[in-house]
Amino acid sequence: MEKTTTVAGRKIPRFLPRVRGGVHPPDNKQATADKPIRKMGAPELVVLPLRQHLGAPCSPTVGKGDRVLVGTVVGDSEAFVSAPVHSSVSGAVRNIAPHPHPAGGEVLSIFIENDGEGALDPGLSPLDWKNMDENGIRRAVRAAGMVGLGGAAFPTHVKLSPPGQYPIDTVILNGAECEPFLTSDYRLMLECAEEIVEGMRIIMKAVGARRGIVAVEDNKPQALRVMAETIRDPAIELRSLHTRYPQGAEKVLITTLLGREVPSGGLPMHVGVVVNNVGTAQAIARYFRTGLPLVERVVTVTGSVVREPANLLVPLGSSFAAVVESCGGFTEPPAKVIMGGPMMGLAQYTLDVPVIKGTSGILFLSSAEAGYEIPREPVCIRCGRCVQACPMNLIPTYLAAYAHREKWADLERLHVNDCIECGCCTYTCPTRNPIVQLIKAGKAELARRKALVEKRRADKAAADADGGGGNGSR
Amino acid sequence: MEAGRFIVSTSPHIRDPITTRRIMCHVIAALAPVTVYAVVIHGIHAFYVLVSSIAGAMLGELAVQKGRKLPVTLDDCSALLTGLLLALTLPPQLHWWIALIAGLVATVLGKQMFGGLGHNLFNPALVGRAVAFVSWASYMNAGYAKSASIAIANTSTHKLIEKAVDVASGASPLAAMKIIYDPSTSPIGPGGVPHGIQASTYYKPLFLANPWGCLGEVSALLLILGGVYLVAVRIIDWKIPVIYVGTVAVLTSFTGRDPLFYTLAGGLLIGAVFMATDYTTSPLAGRGKVVYALGLGLVTWLLRFWSNNPEGVMFAILFMNGLVPIIDRYILPRTYGTVREARKTGESGEAAAS
């Protein structure tokens, strides 16, 4: 059933089963696919939000007026699910104040005035992972402020610390990059394949996995070739995936590659798997090689209104405005600015937001490309396209309708919390229903209501116990 | 450097170019050959039926939407398609005013009264036909006569029917068979194989140019090609038509009748390809569609052979339409990551339905 294809003298399996559901939007990667990664000079001011990851936000560890160097910790947290933030420039802390954040709202941020010297923090030094134990690697990865660079920005050290009852047998590196327009992972695979493979070995060691799989979509034959030439370790396999969105979603990837299904509400570790982005692996390897924590990342800057679309190595905290300036500015004003890809990215209302750890791309769309239509009262012709497109086998149109009509019990009955918010349903809907938006709103409201019920129950229990500390407040 | 005001909306930020109108136009395109051919075979009166039915359907939609001060949605082509589908289920010699009223009923009663596009429980075109069928039964049955192009078909076959069947000339092939097989009226006798008339003599006209049926029954070949087109452009799922027709064929052969004849004759093909696959009135997801199609096959077979009415497709589809909400509630796809766990208790290892 599985056929193989020969790339660079090596046989790699291809024609894996395609994603159940999914969609195939035009990939639009041609503008930047052939542009080597270019380093962007640090702007005069960087703004580092203290929340750049999922989990607990950091607290500032520096004060106004302090001098910081490249790699100096400026924010950290005691919480396990959190990652420290480091300065990406050397200079003085000018301000610590709330600032617009690309994920919405305002977040406490460290404003650092760049002195242009780029002086490195003297505490940074390369690390030899081969002589470190698992805990040492995890601690180092945390100290580097490493988070998933695919966009979700989950703290990497948490992923590398599965509890003992869940032995990990396989590490998957996700090189699918199934979002249209984005090419940052593709460029990394072409230019930094060695580091990606080394990162894989570090991750495998940290979680004790015997098997590694690098998975790349078959619309990137160059990346497949380079990876095939680079991987020399027999424990690491290369797989060619069908080009299909959302091939790079963790659960989808695990099912395609291993035939395992992550249980509803569960995590990849529950089926013995850890999934990381190729970019994360590369960043981990570079950190061990140089000692420099996560202070910059590759960002694809593209869209028809950008004068010189590029794959840029951007210091974290650079504003979107500074990024577009280093790409020659605009040919015409953009109608829509998106952080991330067009399927799951976040629309921005200002260019004053900074590049953060999860910024895989910045997309500037013209009004024709944005093709925005004002959502109407949902009409469903029951064509079933969303059902066919849903990789989680949900019934998106019903979920949207139930969310719209506030039928919370029905939402739960149809497993609304298994929605991965990939947006395939909405992409494919002929009547332009805002399906995934309604589902997201429904999920949020359901969670709020459940928390409220829990809180009431806990309060009541506390009152019954006459002042005893309630334990159900989570 | 602020470049101005940006559109802020949630993802996804790009959309598939497919629209409701495009879907409707694909179906209309799939029906175009059989529609044109019907006019060629049946003559200009068939064209009047077509125009009246479509006009009725569109007027009905317009009237309700104007009356309720709703946005007029004739441009989504769904009313046009309803009128066209309805016309294709009508006899070619039908009075134009019956076609017009059926069209009005289809969109007003069958669709807008439920809340418009996507909300109707029953197939609007079949609601229109059903109302005409019970209101003007004699017209609906006699309307097959006076076909202008009978010469195109197999003339000897036609003579055979007229000889074997003492009904108004031009009865539909299914009606003819019904009478032949009915012990009380059959000229052949109870249980006996009818001599002088073989189901197989109908194959060719039914497939290529059938002058005895409704507008849409004029050529099984063109209907099948239309269905293949719709499956190829991914407008319909092959499951419903294939399973429906297959079930009828299998059950028919169990009854000792000619499965090919009963597949080609009557409204089965147009019903299976174009009516049973109607989005709004069929189940949303895979397994539900299978159950629905099996039910359609069973009910059609029951009605064809165990009721007075020879043509069971219309009522079978309307009946199963009524069950769709129940099917959709209880026969759902297995959500990723859910059932396999529950199954582990009963079965071991690989789940069959993965």
Side-chain angles (χ1 to χ4, degrees), chain B residues 16-273:
Chain B
D16 192 308
I18 193 82
T19 58
T20 308
R21 177 158 64 179
R22 238 189 237 206
I23 290 172
M24 299 295 169
C25 290
H26 273 301
V27 182
I28 291 167
L31 284 169
V34 75
T35 309
V36 171
Y37 194 51
V39 175
V40 170
I41 295 288
H42 293 295
I44 192 70
H45 201 278
F47 181 71
Y48 300 150
V49 171
L50 271 166
V51 172
S52 322
S53 166
I54 291 171
M58 293 180 73
L59 277 173
E61 181 120 325
L62 182 72
V64 175
Q65 291 183 332
K66 282 277 184 200
R68 292 187 58 203
K69 297 194 170 59
L70 295 170
V72 174
T73 57
L74 287 178
D75 62 339
D76 69 15
C77 295
S78 66
L80 170 62
L81 177 58
T82 298
L84 175 61
L85 271 173
L86 168 63
L88 292 177
T89 67
L90 296 175
Q93 301 296 327
L94 192 68
H95 293 296
W96 65 268
W97 55 269
I98 298 182
L100 184 81
I101 293 172
L104 281 167
V105 168
T107 47
V108 174
L109 210 70
K111 182 176 169 191
Q112 290 297 337
M113 247 184 53
F114 288 91
L117 186 66
H119 296 293
N120 46 300
L121 185 56
F122 301 101
N123 187 311
L126 289 183
V127 170
R129 183 181 199 262
V131 168
F133 186 82
V134 296
S135 307
W136 298 285
S138 56
Y139 293 120
M140 290 289 285
N141 282 328
Y144 302 112
K146 288 181 279 178
S147 181
S149 312
I150 284 171
I152 291 176
N154 186 333
T155 335
S156 61
T157 312
H158 184 61
K159 281 192 188 130
L160 276 173
I161 307 172
E162 294 205 28
K163 206 159 58 179
V165 185
D166 185 27
V167 289
S169 66
S172 78
L174 270 186
M177 281 294 174
K178 180 91 191 165
I179 290 158
I180 290 163
Y181 278 106
D182 186 338
S184 61
T185 54
S186 172
I188 299 115
V193 178
H195 53 81
I197 180 160
Q198 291 287 329
S200 59
T201 55
Y202 283 108
Y203 291 168
K204 200 173 147 200
L206 284 173
F207 201 65
L208 296 174
N210 165 29
W212 306 292
C214 295
L215 281 176
E217 294 168 17
V218 74
S219 164
L221 175 67
L222 292 180
L223 290 174
I224 293 167
L225 288 178
V228 169
Y229 169 78
L230 288 182
V231 170
V233 296
R234 293 166 188 251
I235 299 296
I236 64 169
D237 191 333
W238 60 269
K239 286 192 198 81
I240 291 177
V242 170
I243 295 174
Y244 181 8
V245 172
T247 308
V248 171
V250 168
L251 290 175
T252 302
S253 62
F254 282 164
T255 333
R257 310 281 179 93
D258 184 325
L260 187 57
F261 170 80
Y262 280 95
T263 304
L264 296 176
L268 181 59
L269 284 176
I270 189 168
V273 176

Side-chain angles (χ1 to χ4, degrees), chain A residues 373-395:
Chain A
E373 289 166 62
I374 293 167
R376 301 154 305 159
E377 185 77 4
V379 173
C380 173
I381 59 168
R382 293 171 47 91
C383 64
R385 281 171 182 267
C386 57
V387 182
Q388 281 167 31
C390 181
M392 293 294 110
N393 252 1
L394 299 166
I395 309 197

Side-chain angles (χ1 to χ4, degrees), chain A residues 73-118:
Chain A
V73 174
V74 296
D76 205 345
S77 163
E78 296 280 303
F80 178 59
V81 185
S82 187
V85 176
H86 304 78
S87 176
S88 56
V89 295
S90 63
V93 176
R94 205 177 72 186
N95 199 4
I96 298 174
H99 184 78
H101 189 277
E106 299 210 328
V107 170
L108 190 65
S109 306
I110 315 268
F111 293 62
I112 300 167
E113 206 166 272
N114 183 7
D115 62 13
E117 288 170 20

Side-chain angles (χ1 to χ4, degrees), chain A residues 255 261 264 335-336 342 382 437, chain B residues 7 9-10 13 282 328 336-337:
Chain A
T255 307
E261 267 188 34
S264 171
K336 200 172 201 179
R382 293 171 47 91
Q437 289 87 335
Chain B
I7 298 168
S9 62
T10 56
H13 305 284
S282 64
D328 264 348
Y336 177 99

